[in-house]
Amino acid sequence: MKKLHLLSNAHLDPVWQWQWEEGAAAAVSTFRAAADFCEQFEGYVFNHNEAILYQWIEEYEPELFERIRKLVASGKWHIMGGWYLQPDCNMPSGESMVRQILAGRTYFREKFGEGHDPTTAINFDPFGHSQGLVQILNLAGFDSYIFMRPDEMTLPAQDFIWKGFNGSSVMAHKVWGGYNSQLGKSVDKIVKWMDENADAPIGLVLWGVGNHGGGPSRVDLNLIAELQGAREDFEIVHSTPETYFAELAQVKDLPAFEGDLNPRFVGCYTSQIRIKQKHRKLENELYMTEKMLSMAALEAGLSYPYDDLQAALQDLLTSEFHDILPGSSVQSVEETSLRGLDHGLEILSKLKARAFFALAAGQPVAEQGEYPILVYNPHPYPVRGVWECEFMLEDQNWNEEYSMPIVYKDGVRVPSQPEKEDSNLNLDWRKKVVFEAELPPMSMNRFECRMELLAEKPSPALTADQGKFVFQTEDLYVVINALTGLMDEYAVDGKNRIAPGACVPLVVNDNGDPWRMDVNAFRDVLGRFQLMPPGQGTDFSGVDKGLLPSVRVIEDGEARTVIEALFFYRNSQIVQTYKLPKQGSEIEIHVRVFWNEKDKLLKWSIPTTIGDHAAYRGQTMFGVAELPKDGHEAVAQKWVAAVDGHSAFTVINDGVYGSDFKDGEIRMTLLRSPAYCAHPILDRPLVVQDRFLPRMDQGERQFTFWLNAGNKKERLEAVDREALAHGEKPFVLSFFPSGLGELPGCPFELEDEVVQLTTFKREERGDGYILRLFEPTGQARETAIILGRSGKSIPVSLSGFEVKTLRLDPIEGTISEVALLEQ
């Protein structure tokens, strides 16, 4: 007989149109009703996932939690999915998705014991799914996946084999008819499925009141019981995801699909940009701080603060919820989420300082007139960059002379220069020094800064000539147009990589829908930012002692030249800062936006000289996605690249996820200004028309981009590590050490120049340490881990895009491969 599996659930967003307290209240009432029905109805099984909801039940109604534990043990209540929550499935890093699973798995094992590990992952509500998920699911012990969106995407079948990177695959099921049902209407939904799928040997229907909880109802359960007795063509059973997929594999040969399950709701790649940027910052700070603490625990005897790190991790995981990170919640949820992200960042700032000072042990006492600068590189390979450090002189200098900071390494002068410090005290006292250097792997690097007394502060050497600023080094040739403020040339290795007028901010037509459910592209340009006239730019800069040009050199020295340009569009302004290095070809551009537009979108355009038929690629979770090249909005993580047969142009960002590409032009999506949680419904207006309504991201927002170009193979091999180094930036601090203690060693290094270390942390159970390696180019690669204490070389083979998890035994000094979830 044909069989229909009924999956009873209660989709419950912890936040969305409501705050978390209301979500917790809905969870308690929903779970209480579900427990009643599990106890009262023979054969009924309730399914629910999301550890965060169970945590709320455990804390706020412990008696109910004990009832659920008994129901789980008896098979009446099924722990479904087993993740921390249903996250966005495009924007979190691969490592963050591992932590979503690991945190959920750890919680459920602790509270419900072994033997309740789900093998079907579920993400009913997220807005699209990265192909990188497949390998993560494989490695985490999942063989199947249930999802609902994209709604209109053409797939080979309702059930199919979803193929990921590195040859991984899972069975996948696209939800039919939505993840919920209206109260008392579940039977109507079930009958409709049977009518439409009369010849299907097997099927799955989800039911239960959802979105704000509710789940099963007595009336629905009674109606389903009647239907079960009345139908002879289908055996209708209350079921679980695992039972469905086990039987599905026996009765169907499934077609295959390879690629992302995208796009859906492309506005969510950009809405509420503060959440996205702060989420990225917390990701970076968490994984960097774990690396520093692991190093300090192994090499300096520091106690590893597992519980504090778990608190910060839960802040990160909560922020990844599919109505928080995509920016589809109400304004009060945005503010609460920012507060939660700040909570995690504050925990990590203290832990990072604890690790830093422990790792500074053994540094010699400073000599007279020396200001020590310590830089810790958390990566197991050398990192080259331009580093910034602020510190105080030992005394205030009230004379007219200028104390010029000069940086040395082991007595040898390194390229360095002074720049404007954050303070505005017009006194020779606070210093900011910028210097260029390469940092050895996983080590504390010591620099010495000394002062040279000059008659006055040096003035910038670069000036405009014939309406343009021309910057030239052995590696780089850049032209900034003094009349437009835009970049007209960017040549690497003698080849110009852009068309004139690059880095222009574009204003694009948009509407008030934060999801932007009706389109997949933002291409209707309304206008572009223009250079401010000198008077307007001078007033905007807050200067009252003369007229300033709106394009000007503000810093110039041995390490870099910094050019600032001022733009405006209607009531909005932008300060764009070009940081041009004296070594290397990567340029940094900082964009400070004062945004006062409504129902509009801000893009940042780079017309490259890569051909019209170039590919467009972007970083995704543990992989590289092929992105649309027809102007449709794309989602990617830390970098995107325009690529032809020989060259690549890469753009690294600090928290921007949306972009598009067409005819060689990259457009990064910076800001949207829709209403909060404005959902298209029938032909009604998106928002009420009788009052002021706030719009998203009004006011000051900041963005940083790093541009580079060159040989295709070299660029694509380097960009992942470059992006990681900009995100998990080596920690710099001026500190006068005591000279006590011993210098810590380097626990290990990576032999090659490509493979990533995505995590270095203590294991969940035990005293070992977890290393996760990832191959980021799609090419098979051999590397080795060189242990610092013994010098032993441990070879590691990785296929393209492969993830491997290793365990370092600190007592035995050995490394062995373990499962992703550390079992």
Side-chain angles (χ1 to χ4, degrees), residues 15-89:
V15 297
W16 180 33
Q17 300 178 71
W18 48 85
Q19 280 281 17
W20 74 267
E21 296 92 339
E22 186 176 340
V28 170
S29 59
T30 298
F31 279 31
R32 188 189 302 128
D36 290 343
F37 298 139
C38 286
E39 293 165 347
Q40 296 167 12
F41 285 83
E42 185 67 29
Y44 171 67
V45 180
F46 180 67
N47 298 265
H48 216 282
N49 53 311
E50 294 160 318
I52 190 173
L53 301 182
Y54 288 82
Q55 287 177 332
W56 287 345
I57 305 302
E58 182 182 14
E59 181 172 359
Y60 303 131
E61 196 155 318
E63 297 85 359
L64 174 59
F65 189 76
E66 288 306 313
R67 287 175 65 195
I68 294 171
R69 282 164 57 100
K70 292 177 182 177
L71 290 168
V72 169
S74 66
K76 297 284 291 178
W77 183 301
H78 182 69
I79 294 171
M80 179 173 64
W83 293 22
Y84 189 73
L85 45 70
Q86 287 191 53
D88 178 84
C89 293

Side-chain angles (χ1 to χ4, degrees), residues 421-497:
E421 62 282 349
D422 288 346
S423 169
N424 287 307
L425 291 183
N426 197 0
L427 180 65
D428 190 25
W429 184 24
R430 180 75 176 167
K431 290 293 172 182
K432 177 180 179 179
V433 66
V434 175
F435 58 100
E436 193 270 343
E438 181 174 278
L439 310 175
M442 273 193 168
S443 61
M444 186 67 77
N445 296 270
R446 170 75 172 258
F447 297 86
E448 302 85 32
C449 189
R450 295 183 177 275
M451 298 300 136
E452 293 184 5
L453 202 61
L454 304 180
E456 60 183 10
K457 182 179 180 180
S459 298
L462 182 65
T463 58
D465 183 23
Q466 297 182 352
K468 57 186 180 181
F469 292 93
V470 177
F471 176 89
Q472 187 168 9
T473 68
E474 290 184 3
D475 304 308
L476 197 56
Y477 181 84
V478 177
V479 175
I480 305 297
N481 192 315
L483 304 179
T484 66
L486 304 176
M487 186 163 59
D488 283 347
E489 289 189 60
Y490 167 58
V492 178
D493 299 329
K495 299 177 181 179
N496 184 32
R497 310 292 178 157

Side-chain angles (χ1 to χ4, degrees), residues 111-179:
K111 302 302 178 180
F112 296 92
E114 304 287 343
H116 298 288
D117 295 340
T119 58
T120 300
I122 64 102
N123 278 306
F124 298 152
D125 208 17
F127 318 142
H129 311 258
S130 164
Q131 184 183 3
L133 268 175
V134 180
Q135 182 181 186
I136 297 170
L137 295 173
N138 266 185
L139 294 173
F142 293 99
D143 61 16
S144 44
Y145 190 59
I146 303 179
F147 69 100
M148 188 174 74
R149 297 190 175 93
D151 306 69
E152 297 87 11
M153 185 177 187
T154 300
L155 291 168
Q158 203 83 28
D159 298 292
F160 58 95
I161 300 296
W162 187 20
K163 292 189 173 182
F165 301 118
N166 192 46
S168 52
S169 66
V170 292
M171 293 182 288
H173 173 85
K174 186 180 187 302
V175 171
W176 175 92
Y179 48 66

Side-chain angles (χ1 to χ4, degrees), residues 396-436:
Q396 303 168 9
N397 177 18
W398 285 82
N399 299 319
E400 293 302 317
E401 300 97 342
Y402 179 76
S403 301
M404 179 75 170
I406 308 295
V407 177
Y408 297 85
K409 174 65 173 173
D410 299 328
V412 178
R413 181 168 172 164
V414 301
S416 60
Q417 66 192 68
E419 290 191 1
K420 172 70 176 67
E421 62 282 349
D422 288 346
S423 169
N424 287 307
L425 291 183
N426 197 0
L427 180 65
D428 190 25
W429 184 24
R430 180 75 176 167
K431 290 293 172 182
K432 177 180 179 179
V433 66
V434 175
F435 58 100
E436 193 270 343

Side-chain angles (χ1 to χ4, degrees), residues 270-553:
T270 303
S271 295
Q272 294 184 20
I273 197 67
R274 286 186 301 171
I275 294 281
K276 292 171 170 60
Q277 290 180 318
K278 199 155 282 189
H279 162 263
R280 175 78 65 78
K281 184 174 178 62
L282 183 53
E283 270 190 328
N284 289 329
E285 288 296 302
L286 175 62
Y287 303 139
M288 175 180 173
T289 302
E290 284 180 341
K291 290 170 184 172
M292 291 181 66
L293 288 165
S294 297
M295 166 83 168
L298 287 171
E299 301 293 331
L302 187 72
S303 176
Y304 191 87
Y306 177 83
D307 290 340
D308 290 336
L309 285 168
Q310 285 297 111
L313 173 64
Q314 290 196 8
D315 289 328
L316 174 67
L317 301 182
T318 301
S319 77
E320 292 171 347
F321 177 65
H322 63 261
D323 280 313
I324 293 178
L325 187 54
S328 48
S329 289
V330 294
Q331 188 174 16
S332 61
V333 170
E334 178 190 33
E335 297 303 325
T336 301
S337 301
L338 289 167
R339 190 168 72 235
L341 287 160
D342 282 333
H343 176 261
L345 288 167
E346 185 62 19
I347 291 172
L348 294 173
S349 71
K350 291 179 171 58
L351 296 181
K352 186 164 68 172
R354 187 187 304 176
F356 180 87
F357 288 119
L359 293 166
Q363 293 289 332
V365 174
E367 297 180 2
Q368 184 67 31
E370 174 186 303
Y371 297 85
I373 297 175
L374 303 184
V375 189
Y376 182 73
N377 174 16
H379 306 291
Y381 42 78
V383 174
R384 177 170 289 279
V386 176
W387 316 111
E388 303 175 358
C389 184
E390 288 203 18
F391 57 91
M392 304 298 291
L393 295 181
E394 60 182 354
D395 196 9
Q396 303 168 9
N397 177 18
W398 285 82
N399 299 319
E400 293 302 317
E401 300 97 342
Y402 179 76
S403 301
M404 179 75 170
I406 308 295
V407 177
Y408 297 85
K409 174 65 173 173
D410 299 328
V412 178
R413 181 168 172 164
V414 301
S416 60
Q417 66 192 68
E419 290 191 1
K420 172 70 176 67
E421 62 282 349
D422 288 346
S423 169
N424 287 307
L425 291 183
N426 197 0
L427 180 65
D428 190 25
W429 184 24
R430 180 75 176 167
K431 290 293 172 182
K432 177 180 179 179
V433 66
V434 175
F435 58 100
E436 193 270 343
E438 181 174 278
L439 310 175
M442 273 193 168
S443 61
M444 186 67 77
N445 296 270
R446 170 75 172 258
F447 297 86
E448 302 85 32
C449 189
R450 295 183 177 275
M451 298 300 136
E452 293 184 5
L453 202 61
L454 304 180
E456 60 183 10
K457 182 179 180 180
S459 298
L462 182 65
T463 58
D465 183 23
Q466 297 182 352
K468 57 186 180 181
F469 292 93
V470 177
F471 176 89
Q472 187 168 9
T473 68
E474 290 184 3
D475 304 308
L476 197 56
Y477 181 84
V478 177
V479 175
I480 305 297
N481 192 315
L483 304 179
T484 66
L486 304 176
M487 186 163 59
D488 283 347
E489 289 189 60
Y490 167 58
V492 178
D493 299 329
K495 299 177 181 179
N496 184 32
R497 310 292 178 157
I498 62 167
C503 306
V504 59
L506 305 174
V507 180
V508 179
N509 191 32
D510 200 359
N511 70 11
D513 170 13
W515 291 270
R516 199 59 209 261
M517 297 182 177
D518 61 333
V519 300
N520 285 332
F522 301 104
R523 300 291 297 180
D524 181 12
V525 177
L526 299 174
R528 58 186 59 211
F529 278 73
Q530 305 290 327
L531 191 69
M532 289 186 187
Q536 180 184 354
T538 300
D539 291 342
F540 176 73
S541 301
V543 171
D544 57 8
K545 299 297 183 183
L547 199 64
L548 286 178
S550 289
V551 187
R552 59 262 184 146
V553 178

Side-chain angles (χ1 to χ4, degrees), residues 481-717:
N481 192 315
L483 304 179
T484 66
L486 304 176
M487 186 163 59
D488 283 347
E489 289 189 60
Y490 167 58
V492 178
D493 299 329
K495 299 177 181 179
N496 184 32
R497 310 292 178 157
I498 62 167
C503 306
V504 59
L506 305 174
V507 180
V508 179
N509 191 32
D510 200 359
N511 70 11
D513 170 13
W515 291 270
R516 199 59 209 261
M517 297 182 177
D518 61 333
V519 300
N520 285 332
F522 301 104
R523 300 291 297 180
D524 181 12
V525 177
L526 299 174
R528 58 186 59 211
F529 278 73
Q530 305 290 327
L531 191 69
M532 289 186 187
Q536 180 184 354
T538 300
D539 291 342
F540 176 73
S541 301
V543 171
D544 57 8
K545 299 297 183 183
L547 199 64
L548 286 178
S550 289
V551 187
R552 59 262 184 146
V553 178
I554 59 172
E555 307 288 356
D556 197 12
E558 298 173 351
R560 66 187 180 190
T561 296
V562 182
I563 299 174
E564 183 177 87
L566 306 180
F567 303 92
F568 77 101
Y569 173 85
R570 293 178 40 167
N571 294 319
S572 298
Q573 301 85 27
I574 286 178
V575 182
Q576 191 151 286
T577 308
Y578 304 90
K579 298 181 179 181
L580 311 177
K582 299 298 173 71
Q583 298 289 328
S585 57
E586 180 186 80
I587 63 174
E588 176 181 332
I589 304 176
H590 183 262
V591 183
R592 185 188 296 264
V593 183
F594 300 85
W595 184 247
N596 294 300
E597 312 306 316
K598 294 179 173 61
D599 298 346
K600 295 180 179 64
L601 178 144
L602 179 63
K603 281 187 174 283
W604 192 68
S605 166
I606 310 165
T608 74
T609 56
I610 298 285
D612 294 346
H613 300 293
Y616 191 47
R617 297 176 185 167
Q619 185 191 59
T620 187
M621 51 186 72
F622 291 143
V624 176
E626 294 291 335
L627 304 177
K629 52 186 181 180
D630 57 0
H632 280 195
E633 197 73 359
V635 59
Q637 295 180 0
K638 294 178 183 176
W639 60 264
V640 294
V643 181
D644 65 13
H646 306 285
S647 303
F649 189 105
T650 57
V651 182
I652 296 171
N653 68 81
D654 68 342
V656 171
Y657 293 92
S659 68
D660 71 56
F661 180 75
K662 187 177 182 181
D663 299 332
E665 180 190 22
I666 299 172
R667 293 183 177 180
M668 306 300 298
T669 312
L670 274 57
L671 287 170
R672 299 186 66 227
S673 49
Y676 286 90
C677 206
H679 195 305
I681 297 176
L682 303 176
D683 58 352
R684 301 168 188 169
L686 271 171
V687 296
V688 297
Q689 301 294 303
D690 62 348
R691 67 196 66 208
F692 167 82
L693 288 172
R695 293 299 196 273
M696 294 179 187
D697 286 311
Q698 302 290 280
E700 184 177 356
R701 302 290 184 267
Q702 299 184 53
F703 307 85
T704 304
F705 300 96
W706 294 268
L707 313 186
N708 212 334
N711 173 270
K712 173 183 173 181
K713 182 177 184 294
E714 294 173 357
R715 274 285 75 235
L716 296 181
E717 287 183 343

